[in-house]
Structures are given as structure tokens and as C-alpha cells.
Amino acid sequence: MKEDRLPGKKYWRSLERLLGNSGPDIIKAEFPEGADEPPTQLERREMLKLLGASMALAGLASCRRPEETIVPFVSSPPGFVPGNSVYYATSMPLGSSSCGILVESYDGRPIKVEGNDLHPSSRGSANSWMQASILGLYDPDRLTRVRRLTSDSGQFEASSWPEFSEFWNGLSEDLEATRGESLAFLCEHWNSPSLSRLKRDVQARFPAATWVHWEPFSDASILEACRELTGQNSRPIYHFSRARKILSLEADFLYLETEAVRYARDWADSRNVDEAVDSMSRLYVLESSLSTTGACADHRLAMSPDQLQQAAIEVA
């Protein structure tokens, strides 16, 4: 290699040339001795056979069709075309109410949820809970069988419906003698007529049984307040599209209320910027933590929960 020289300057292209070492010994030491020689115990033909076999096995393993249990249609639905989406109108329970939704199904698998334009509770919109409900159908941790709590280990173990029927048939005779005093049911709130009828049938057979309804988010406090005020099991329905001044006391009616989807549309209708500014509604929020309704408020005042009662009295 020709060395580059300029008048008064000297350049080098590697540390080996700078130190005066051409570097062949260093290059040879990079690989172990005999690395450039073919193996003596394995012929070239055998090595190619092993490489070809391993590549073929790897290719077959990666191209295997996934095993699925698919049940074909016995009678195909009218107008069904494979690959085209089909839409179904149904309703989704939310607290003590229900919202009308449209479910998009692709080859028998629901993939999308949207609001139904013809339903008064949704009016074509869907909140995050309705959108995320489709994930529950494909949740790998979803409960798929009956489970039984063992008294020895205190852990749940898998069971079956025939085993539960055998257990219940033997237990129900003893419970009927005591009218179900030691029997308790833990369930969610519902607005289904079928579930209400089943509850009445069970109460007629076991009148002393205890029923406990629990949900992470429910309208229990709202129903209890209406019962104390009116003496009836009722729930208020607000018409925010007709209101011009709205006061929210620790109530996230745009997101967490049962009729949040409907309330959000009604509130949006009262905020039409195409009309006169004086006709738009004003939203005042008093709350202890930031919420969706508080983020949309015209005037928001943060205060501790123990101050809300006095603030409501002063406003009244």
C-alpha cells in the first residue's frame, strides 16, 4: 500500500503502521489455529445434508397451519357473504339503564361496537366502556367454567355444571327446611326482565335468603337518595339540552353517570356556537378531584369533600 505523504507532514492509516508493525501476526491471532482448514471428521457432503435437513424442518415448523376448532354453518344466514361485515342491533346494560348499540361482526366474530342512532340513550355515540366491552369476548382470563372453593386449601379449583347440579340438588333440600336462612346470593345490578323473574322464583322458594348486589360503579347512592326524597325506587333523568345554567356537585355526568352518553350529547346540543353566545349553557363544577365534566366546565372550583355540603347550602 502506497504511503500518503505531503511536504512536512506524515499520515498513517492504522495504529499498526504508526507503530511500525505491518500486522500479519495480529490478523492471524484473530482466529484460532486451523479455523481456515476444513474439518477432518466431517465431510462436506454430510455437512450440507445436515444443513439442508435442519432448514427444511425449520421451514415446515414455521409454515404449519394453526389448529382451530371451527364449526361451519348448518344453515347459512340469509344474505351472508364470507368476508363481508354484518351489523347487529342490540343493547348493552350500563348500571340501571341500557344503551342501544350496533355490533359489527366479521365472519361470526364481533370486532367493533358503535352507538345506535335510533336509540334514545346512545343516539349514535359510544363511550369508552362500550368500545372496550368487545375485549371481554377475547379475554384469555375470562371465566369459562364453574369453579369451586375447597375448604382444605382455600383455593378455587375447576369443576363442571353436572357436578354443581349434583351439589345443588343435595343442598337445596336442606335449605328448603330453613327457608334459605343460610343462603346468600352475590350478584351485579341488572335491568333484565328475565333475571328479575328468576329472582322472584328463587325468593318464592327461599324467602329468607339474602341478596347482595355489588358493582364497582353503581347508582345505589342515587337510588337511595330518590327513595328518601320521593318514597319511590326511581332515578332522575336530566334534560341538559334545555338547561342554561348547570351546576355539578361532585358529579361526573359526562362520563361516569349511567346516562353519560345521552347527557354528553344533550350538553353538546346546548353549546351550539352557531347560535348567539347568550343562548349557550354555562357549566359550573364543584369537585374534589379532576374529572371529565370538570375539564369541560366554564367555571370549576376545587374543594375538599367536607366543604361540598356547605357550598350546596349556600347556592340553594
Side-chain angles (χ1 to χ4, degrees):
M1 183 179 296
K2 185 177 180 181
E3 186 176 345
D4 297 334
R5 292 182 179 275
L6 290 177
K9 294 185 179 181
K10 182 179 180 181
Y11 297 88
W12 60 89
R13 296 185 179 183
S14 64
L15 295 177
E16 289 78 9
R17 296 190 63 181
L18 175 64
L19 299 176
N21 187 359
S22 58
D25 298 335
I26 299 177
I27 296 176
K28 291 183 178 179
E30 183 178 357
F31 301 97
E33 185 177 357
D36 57 342
E37 299 178 1
T40 56
Q41 299 179 356
L42 184 63
E43 296 182 356
R44 179 175 177 273
R45 185 185 299 272
E46 295 180 358
M47 182 183 67
L48 293 177
K49 289 181 179 179
L50 293 177
L51 291 176
S54 60
M55 294 178 62
L57 292 176
L60 292 176
S62 62
C63 297
R64 179 181 301 174
R65 183 183 298 273
E67 297 182 1
E68 295 184 6
T69 303
I70 302 177
V71 180
F73 284 113
V74 178
S75 298
S76 180
F80 175 76
V81 179
N84 290 351
S85 298
V86 181
Y87 295 87
Y88 296 91
T90 181
S91 61
M92 176 181 174
L94 288 176
S96 56
S97 181
S98 62
C99 287
I101 57 177
L102 291 177
V103 180
E104 180 182 0
S105 178
Y106 184 83
D107 288 348
R109 296 178 176 86
I111 59 174
K112 193 69 171 66
V113 171
E114 289 294 345
N116 191 345
D117 295 337
L118 303 179
H119 198 278
S121 294
S122 58
R123 296 175 57 187
S125 300
N127 58 11
S128 57
W129 292 345
M130 297 163 64
Q131 295 283 359
S133 64
I134 203 72
L135 301 178
L137 298 176
Y138 307 101
D139 186 4
D141 297 329
R142 183 180 181 183
L143 189 62
T144 58
R145 60 176 64 90
V146 181
R147 295 195 301 173
R148 178 179 58 185
L149 180 63
T150 59
S151 57
D152 298 335
S153 60
Q155 301 292 332
F156 286 96
E157 62 179 14
S159 183
S160 62
W161 285 111
E163 293 181 1
F164 173 75
S165 299
E166 182 180 357
F167 163 78
W168 174 250
N169 292 332
L171 182 63
S172 59
E173 298 179 358
D174 300 335
L175 293 174
E176 287 182 349
T178 60
R179 298 169 55 87
E181 293 182 356
S182 59
L183 179 61
F185 294 91
L186 176 61
C187 51
E188 299 177 343
H189 289 277
W190 65 73
N191 52 9
S192 170
S194 300
L195 293 178
S196 299
R197 177 181 56 82
L198 291 176
K199 181 180 178 180
R200 290 194 298 268
D201 295 342
V202 174
Q203 287 179 330
R205 185 177 180 184
F206 307 104
T210 303
W211 288 80
V212 179
H213 296 266
W214 183 87
E215 283 184 343
F217 298 97
S218 67
D219 297 334
S221 58
I222 300 177
L223 298 176
E224 184 178 356
C226 292
R227 190 182 303 112
E228 293 181 359
L229 293 174
T230 63
Q232 301 177 356
N233 293 328
S234 59
R235 180 170 54 85
I237 299 295
Y238 304 102
H239 298 276
F240 292 104
S241 59
R242 307 175 187 174
R244 289 298 169 260
K245 294 182 181 179
I246 305 171
L247 174 62
S248 172
L249 301 176
E250 198 76 301
D252 192 5
F253 64 89
L254 293 179
Y255 183 66
L256 292 180
E257 294 288 336
T258 296
E259 297 285 346
V261 178
R262 174 184 176 182
Y263 291 160
R265 292 297 301 269
D266 289 346
W267 177 76
D269 292 341
S270 68
R271 307 279 293 183
N272 191 356
V273 296
D274 295 334
E275 300 178 359
V277 178
D278 296 338
S279 63
M280 292 177 57
S281 65
R282 305 291 293 182
L283 176 58
Y284 304 86
V285 175
L286 305 180
E287 59 184 4
S288 59
S289 60
L290 185 62
S291 64
T292 302
T293 305
C296 298
D298 298 297
H299 304 278
R300 176 184 178 272
L301 181 59
M303 57 178 57
S304 59
D306 57 350
Q307 296 175 335
L308 288 172
Q309 182 178 1
Q310 183 61 31
I313 294 175
E314 294 180 2
V315 172

